[in-house]
Amino acid sequence: MSERLIYLPLGGAGEIGMNCYVYGYGEPDKERLIVVDLGVTFPDMDTTPGVDLIMADMAWLEKRRKRIEGVFITHAHEDHVGAVGHLYERLGVPIYARAFTANIARRKLDEYGIGADAVITAPIWPEKIELGPFSVAFVPVSHSIPESAGLAIDTPAGRVVHTGDFKIDETPVVGDPFDAELWADVARGGVKALVCDSTNVFSRHPGRSENTLGPDIEALMAEKTGMVVATTFASNIARLKTLATAAERAGRSVCLLGRAMRRMTEAAVETGLLSDFPKTIAPEDVGSMPRENVMLLVTGSQGERRAASAQLANGKYLGIELKEGDTFLFSSKTIPGNERGVIRIMNQLSEKGVEVVDDHDGLYHVSGHANRPDLEAMHAMMMPSALIPMHGEHRHLSEHVKLGEARGIPSVLAVNGTMVELTGNRPRVVDYVETGRSYLDGSVQIGALDGVVRDRIRMALNGHVVVTLIIDEDGAPLGEPWCEIMGLPETGESKTPLVDVLEGDLNQFLMRATKRTLSDDTALEKELRNITRRSAQSEIGKKPEVTVVVSRLA
Amino acid sequence: MSERLIYLPLGGAGEIGMNCYVYGYGEPDKERLIVVDLGVTFPDMDTTPGVDLIMADMAWLEKRRKRIEGVFITHAHEDHVGAVGHLYERLGVPIYARAFTANIARRKLDEYGIGADAVITAPIWPEKIELGPFSVAFVPVSHSIPESAGLAIDTPAGRVVHTGDFKIDETPVVGDPFDAELWADVARGGVKALVCDSTNVFSRHPGRSENTLGPDIEALMAEKTGMVVATTFASNIARLKTLATAAERAGRSVCLLGRAMRRMTEAAVETGLLSDFPKTIAPEDVGSMPRENVMLLVTGSQGERRAASAQLANGKYLGIELKEGDTFLFSSKTIPGNERGVIRIMNQLSEKGVEVVDDHDGLYHVSGHANRPDLEAMHAMMMPSALIPMHGEHRHLSEHVKLGEARGIPSVLAVNGTMVELTGNRPRVVDYVETGRSYLDGSVQIGALDGVVRDRIRMALNGHVVVTLIIDEDGAPLGEPWCEIMGLPETGESKTPLVDVLEGDLNQFLMRATKRTLSDDTALEKELRNITRRSAQSEIGKKPEVTVVVSRLA
């Protein structure tokens, strides 16, 4: 049977976040595999209450564990590297990444007691990593974190270019400028398929460079007379530098607050990326300085409840308290879904008299992703035989497919689980694989469809009643049944305590119940559950979740 | 003691939604009172899972029930009228509103079996309603729903102008154009205080008129060759008319889908506001028509899960199914916090091949609230002795105060519960009243601080374990304790079923427990709870909510 080249997204295609892509080469069902990115996505109360992190389901890969050659991480954003610690043992293959990304990955593995040698620091194009039928090069690209890379994946069937997240930025302040010559070099000899970031396909204006922000940020820092607090993603080292440099020029000392802020700057210093970052001061030194001489650089730009931003908005943090006359700058964009958290912080700051400045007018933030014209530029540079949009919701992938087709490039919409064969003249969907999500919940990994989270949501919506009944040695109820309620009002329609109403109705049923009913656990539990739900519905207008515990005295 | 005029917001000041404002006139603590608006706000999973509606706490008003003269509803948006049905009996005073608003209010009261005469249809300025020391006129104003009104509230201490929600729109398509002469008339003789909408204080450009939308919407309807679906708030009768008229001109028949869509158009027809609305067709007739000759006008612009939009995105609705080539228009703005629901629908539509058009470029929607320049125009028209911003989060009120002060108008930031005396030369905060929220939960009204919702959130985040233990007549455990889990993984670290691990640890404790421990219910329950939490923490990395049920055989 002839060999083939396949592409299979397990996460990140049909959503933004949780990136995980598989490439395979070999005879069908015997392909050797490489994995690109092991990212996470974040839970929310609506769909995943109590969950800590969400990752792509590894079932398909684990079954083919012996065929996996390695994992490549394109960059150190959580939605690309966040799951390495949680999933390393399940895949058991080496992880390749550039130095900064490797530094972050090793910190994550360390939390699981996995040694630093699990991650191999990769060289960059034109050097290649040879793994089975694959020859893979990290191609430096600009993005909103240092040392992002696309991958040039060479196979006997030709070259696939996997862009990773990218923008076209020739002056990115920190990290690699976009190098058009280098990418032209990658394109030389032909690109079988371009697998391309889709995040900003709906943004019609050309992307702006990171270095356009400096002057406006500097003007703001200089103009304000109180303390200035700035928040952005800690991983955006270039932004940290822009903010810190602006602060320094405005006569402000910089204080970093938040765990991620320290972790990221440490990693950047360790890997030589931040040699000329302004000196920082410790939180305990802030109090003794005039407010106009301080800038805090803090985590929590997305309104995260435990981050430094939220704590400063809410009260004191490490002895620092904001007050009237201070300014809080969101050098960030609110990710859809995070609006409530961000607005909560803005209002808390407003209550303190702190002026809030956001990116409403486009002065203080630029995106890390290629806008539509930049995607078109990438298409033109690569001139691929096929385009597969990735990293986007369905609507982004769909729009990106239209963009490719408009240029005459055969383009495929492949959401998670869609296996695409790239070997023929045109890309072709050859299989649909069952994919899903797994949740890190406390210390346990559970499946999204296990029902655990569904039960939590039901309890949150409907409350929970526990009915306990003891059946004596003769098969008769011992005393009356009793109810415990949680998450339900104490009284309803009748003003009698709800538990009394429920217990009364249950007892009425039991007094009339036959021996036969009482002897059948399943039937009895079902009946008690139904009575409880009906009784609650008429008393409080709500059908709760019900757990029935029948204990039989032996 | 001298008489005074007071203002007290119970809802809507420090938030957007749940409007409820009180005015009083008389000797301190003997003031006669009127209430302006009885609105609701909507629950979310993050803070109010399972709750149906959120209303202002009526405790303060109920205690002063005998002093209330009446309730005035400015317009028929849910955040102004939504609570009338739920709260009418608790206040027991007549409700005044203009005809369209009264029609909607009566429908809500009808659900509680309250007769139509509870609502009095009010005349408009210059006619006045005399109630105790108050003389109140409804002053027509433009907004995104018909027959909105501000209130001119005359008291022995002077006139308060309460704007209600408003915009300055001289061509609003349906309903009252903004009438500058009429408002000038209201201002004549002096305005003691202007209590003013703050929603759009951060929008710096002048507001746009409803009638600017027609041409672009018509062009869209004409250009598309498949079915067009348009969604907007059902209460925006002017928008419905703009959309329906555009459809008719493009040769499309209009079909209304969704309960609110029918209720609102009915009310508009009954009150004579919609005499020239294009003829509509029934959902069952849609199937037999060419797709290019149909426009569906549907509810659910905010991504509400049960609305027509969500159902059409998800599958069929009343036999109608969208498909490739159709177009879905969001003639609306996504309210912060609703992004996830709206994006979910957009992606489902994308999966069906339906083109989604939103207001990204500002072509298909205008706001119903006065932007900053229009607020300034209102300030200039009224020339009030005092400004009190209302209807806004803290940041909006704060910004609006700055705007007023910049014009030299004494301005007060008064959030819910702040009692402001307006009688003196300058407005003055005289009291802080305890306010809050009550929840409609099923058929029961519960307090926000009752702990019911807190318990639901805890179960959603942590899961729930129920521990049952029987103590025999001699005070010894009868058999072993047992656990039921809900919302927790079945196994953890040890791969043994979680319930077995918990029961094992509990049993170990019980085997060593003294008679004294076993005889003290409170101590025993506390101990069993702690053991369960510790055991779960080490097994699954999570501390669940625990309910302990100890049954003693008598």
Side-chain angles (χ1 to χ4, degrees), chain B residues 3-50:
Chain B
E3 303 192 316
R4 65 179 189 178
L5 171 61
I6 57 168
Y7 162 79
L8 170 65
L10 296 177
E15 66 195 327
I16 291 181
M18 201 182 87
N19 291 277
C20 182
Y21 307 90
V22 178
Y23 293 92
Y25 187 84
E27 286 180 31
D29 296 323
K30 292 181 186 159
E31 297 92 350
R32 301 301 298 173
L33 306 171
I34 58 172
V35 179
V36 177
D37 290 339
L38 284 175
V40 296
T41 195
F42 297 97
D44 59 57
M45 269 300 276
D46 287 271
T47 59
T48 45

Side-chain angles (χ1 to χ4, degrees), chain A residues 45 50 339 343 347 350-351 393-395 441-443 456 460-461 464 466 478 482 487 540-542 549 551 553, chain B residues 45 50 339 343 347 350-351 393-395 441-443 456 460-461 464 466 478 482 487 540-542 549 551 553:
Chain A
M45 268 300 277
E339 288 78 4
I343 288 173
N347 280 309
S350 175
E351 286 171 30
E393 297 164 8
H394 193 285
R395 62 197 176 112
D441 190 63
S443 55
R456 283 186 205 156
L461 293 174
H464 192 195
V466 179
L478 184 69
W482 70 102
I540 59 167
K542 211 172 172 96
V549 183
S551 331
L553 301 186
Chain B
M45 269 300 276
E339 288 79 5
I343 288 174
N347 280 309
S350 176
E351 286 172 29
E393 298 164 9
H394 193 283
R395 61 197 176 114
D441 189 62
S443 56
R456 285 187 203 154
L461 293 175
H464 192 195
V466 179
L478 184 67
W482 70 101
I540 58 167
K542 213 172 168 94
V549 183
S551 330
L553 301 184

Side-chain angles (χ1 to χ4, degrees), chain B residues 50-88:
Chain B
V51 167
D52 294 284
L53 282 177
I54 303 171
M55 304 170 284
D57 183 4
M58 289 291 109
W60 191 89
L61 277 176
E62 274 184 300
K63 269 190 213 149
R64 293 154 182 86
R65 195 178 143 126
K66 291 192 177 153
R67 286 160 46 190
I68 309 173
E69 299 280 357
V71 173
F72 294 82
I73 307 292
T74 58
H75 65 285
H77 278 150
E78 288 296 313
D79 60 336
H80 296 261
V81 74
V84 287
H86 313 301
L87 299 181
Y88 176 77

Side-chain angles (χ1 to χ4, degrees), chain A residues 431-510:
Chain A
D431 200 1
Y432 291 100
V433 162
E434 204 173 305
T435 55
R437 298 174 153 212
S438 57
Y439 300 152
L440 180 71
D441 190 63
S443 55
V444 183
Q445 289 182 29
I446 59 180
L449 302 177
D450 286 357
V452 171
V453 168
R454 180 202 59 206
D455 284 350
R456 283 186 205 156
I457 293 173
R458 286 184 179 166
M459 289 191 291
L461 293 174
N462 309 321
H464 192 195
V465 178
V466 179
V467 178
T468 309
L469 174 66
I470 305 177
I471 305 277
D472 68 16
E473 295 86 342
D474 306 324
L478 184 69
E480 301 186 353
W482 70 102
C483 296
E484 301 270 339
I485 60 172
M486 188 145 182
L488 290 166
E490 283 182 19
T491 59
E493 201 80 352
S494 68
K495 311 287 176 206
T496 313
L498 174 60
V499 290
D500 293 354
V501 173
L502 300 178
E503 289 172 358
D505 287 351
L506 289 165
N507 201 39
Q508 281 219 348
F509 160 76
L510 286 170

